[in-house]
Amino acid sequence: MTGDATADVLVVGAGLAGLHTATELARRGHDVLLAERRPTLTGAIRTTGIFVRKTLDDFPLPPECLGPPIRRVVLYPPGLRRPVDLVSDRDEYRVGDMGPLYLSAARAAADAGVRLALGVRYAGRRDDGCCLLEGRDGPVRMRARFLVGADGARSRVARDLGLDRNRHLIVGAEEVFAVPGGDGPPTFHCVLDPSLAPGYLAWVVNDGRHAHVGVAGYADRYPDGMRRALARFAGSAPGLPGGDRPTEVERRGGPIPVGGLLRRIGGPGGLLVGDAAGAVSPLTAGGLDPCLRLSQLAADVLDDALRAGVPDPLAGYDGAALRARFRGRLALRRGLAQVRTPAVAAAVFPLLRTPVGRAAARRVLFGDRSFPDG
Ligand SMILES: Cc1cc2nc3c(=O)[nH]c(=O)nc-3n(C[C@H](O)[C@H](O)[C@H](O)COP(=O)(O)OP(=O)(O)OC[C@H]3O[C@@H](n4cnc5c(N)ncnc54)[C@H](O)[C@@H]3O)c2cc1C
């Protein structure tokens, strides 16, 4: 790609949000260019890839790219003593094999007619709406009717379109290990310990194929850095096979917006989807389900806009209205953020052992709610 180019829609970022939006638009006959700065979709993966039941029910993810179903969640206080064991009678989670899953989504995009440009960075937008892309073959000036920011939590497109930007972020990091199967049922272990994960949780998800060992929290609350906290946790984490330390296959990590959906996510020049729009559960920090659902809505709105040709066709893409659905989860996030020391965590944890606490935890972990419908 060199010189000047045009498209109906320029989508920036080929994470799940960008791939899904681009594919849905191309399937409706629009000319879509999807620009991704990574040279390959299997490199620099950020997410653990835990998909919840609602996503698995509603979106046709390729089964060969998903790990075994998980029904069991164990919650631990600091020190890991007297955990709370919760088992669902349904398959609640599956961990995506994210490299192959992105490749499969890219094949679906190409089949739908999306032009996927890998190793191509979006470098800005001029006042006249012309966008600059930079790749190996030099700069390209791109004219598109609409620009879609699917460029993650720190979206440059959001800034260039004059839309809202994520201000409330936590940061996550994890190590992925290959594990031998047969060491108990697939289980998701969550540890409430602010010395490991200030304002969030430390986790081990072991589905018998891989174990993801991670921590996340407010970056400025790690006294000696998040990497050290992760190393400390990996040394004593629950749910890992005994004996020799398993082989590490990958490291992942990145920022996670937890302030809820942004209010201004669309305007005359384009819109935001996925992390760029803040479409992440403020409580669980799960973004894969909301990014797929918001992308679906964005494709509907853009499709209407491209057909209608009215001056501000995206006025209906209203983050402020959709944000109301996040209210409960935002309140719980504020509560979790207040758990600042292991002593406070140890004091509040016994609530989860009561029938009311267990029921609330089951509702969050095994519930049917989903964004933006539930
Ligand atoms: C450590 C961690 C673990 C997580 N675990 C889970 C989980 O288990 N389950 C869950 O539901 N959610 C999880 N999340 C959240 C979830 O991963 C995200 O919400 C989701 O992946 C967002 O997808 P996205 O497409 O919006 O953004 P991303 O996947 O971040 O994609 C953005 C893309 O834009 C590209 N890009 C950025 N700038 C430019 C530019 N200028 N030009 C071109 N390309 C650009 C990037 O390279 C990237 O490929 C996790 C997040 C982290 C950080």
Side-chain angles (χ1 to χ4, degrees):
M1 229 180 35
T2 48
D4 293 316
T6 59
D8 293 332
V9 183
L10 167 61
V11 179
V12 179
L16 216 55
L19 283 161
H20 193 67
T21 310
T23 304
E24 287 296 308
L25 284 168
R27 282 187 180 147
R28 293 168 211 197
H30 304 298
D31 177 20
V32 185
L33 184 88
L34 173 55
E36 166 57 52
R37 68 182 170 193
R38 289 179 294 154
T40 148
L41 295 182
T42 53
I45 292 171
R46 292 170 179 272
T47 184
T48 309
I50 301 170
F51 288 91
V52 297
R53 175 168 39 77
K54 282 282 284 173
T55 323
L56 300 167
D57 286 348
D58 294 347
F59 294 90
L61 300 175
E64 68 279 9
C65 299
L66 297 168
I70 300 172
R71 293 178 166 212
R72 180 170 175 240
V73 178
V74 188
L75 305 172
Y76 301 81
L80 309 180
R81 275 198 290 275
R82 292 191 60 212
V84 170
D85 205 328
L86 302 169
V87 179
S88 173
D89 51 11
R90 300 184 287 193
D91 295 341
E92 294 293 346
Y93 309 104
R94 292 179 77 172
V95 182
D97 196 356
M98 291 310 292
L101 209 137
Y102 286 128
L103 290 180
S104 160
R107 272 194 300 276
D111 289 348
V114 173
R115 290 181 281 152
L116 175 59
L118 292 176
V120 172
R121 190 174 72 89
Y122 164 82
R125 181 176 183 268
R126 292 194 322 220
D127 288 343
D128 65 358
C130 187
C131 295
L132 187 67
L133 301 177
E134 287 172 349
R136 247 200 328 253
D137 305 329
V140 177
R141 278 182 307 276
M142 180 88 209
R143 266 194 190 284
R145 174 67 188 88
F146 292 115
L147 173 62
V148 172
D151 51 340
R154 298 203 168 99
S155 168
R156 168 148 194 191
V157 172
R159 187 184 73 188
D160 292 353
L161 287 175
L163 299 173
D164 283 353
R165 293 157 72 192
N166 294 301
R167 310 262 173 222
H168 190 169
L169 298 148
I170 58 172
V171 185
E174 70 167 22
E175 296 174 347
V176 188
F177 299 95
V179 291
D183 209 28
T187 301
F188 187 8
H189 305 263
C190 301
V191 182
L192 180 67
D193 182 346
S195 73
L196 296 168
Y200 188 64
L201 297 165
W203 67 90
V204 175
V205 54
N206 182 345
D207 67 3
R209 291 186 193 167
H210 291 103
H212 296 246
V213 180
V215 298
Y218 293 102
D220 60 351
R221 289 198 207 165
Y222 279 103
D224 54 357
M226 193 168 63
R227 285 282 163 205
R228 288 232 174 102
L230 178 57
R232 222 164 9 100
F233 181 53
S236 62
L240 292 174
D244 289 344
R245 193 180 160 88
T247 318
E248 183 181 307
V249 284
E250 217 177 318
R251 281 176 176 235
R252 298 181 181 176
I256 310 174
V258 289
L261 191 71
L262 299 171
R263 289 182 173 81
R264 293 181 53 246
I265 55 172
L271 53 72
L272 308 175
V273 290
D275 278 14
V280 175
S281 163
L283 179 62
T284 64
L288 296 172
D289 185 78
C291 94
L292 285 170
R293 290 181 199 278
L294 190 65
S295 297
Q296 195 77 36
L297 178 64
D300 291 345
V301 170
L302 285 166
D303 180 41
D304 284 349
L306 285 160
R307 288 177 201 286
V310 289
D312 188 358
L314 306 186
Y317 190 69
D318 182 0
L322 293 167
R323 188 183 161 80
R325 316 252 166 85
F326 281 80
R327 212 173 282 140
R329 278 164 270 196
L330 276 167
L332 289 165
R333 152 119 316 272
R334 282 192 289 274
L336 193 55
Q338 291 313 310
V339 181
R340 284 178 173 262
T341 63
V344 173
V348 297
F349 191 86
L351 290 174
L352 290 172
R353 298 197 186 103
T354 66
V356 174
R358 285 178 76 93
R362 290 183 75 89
R363 238 188 343 269
V364 170
L365 293 163
F366 304 150
D368 288 320
R369 291 188 52 177
S370 185
F371 165 82
D373 311 314

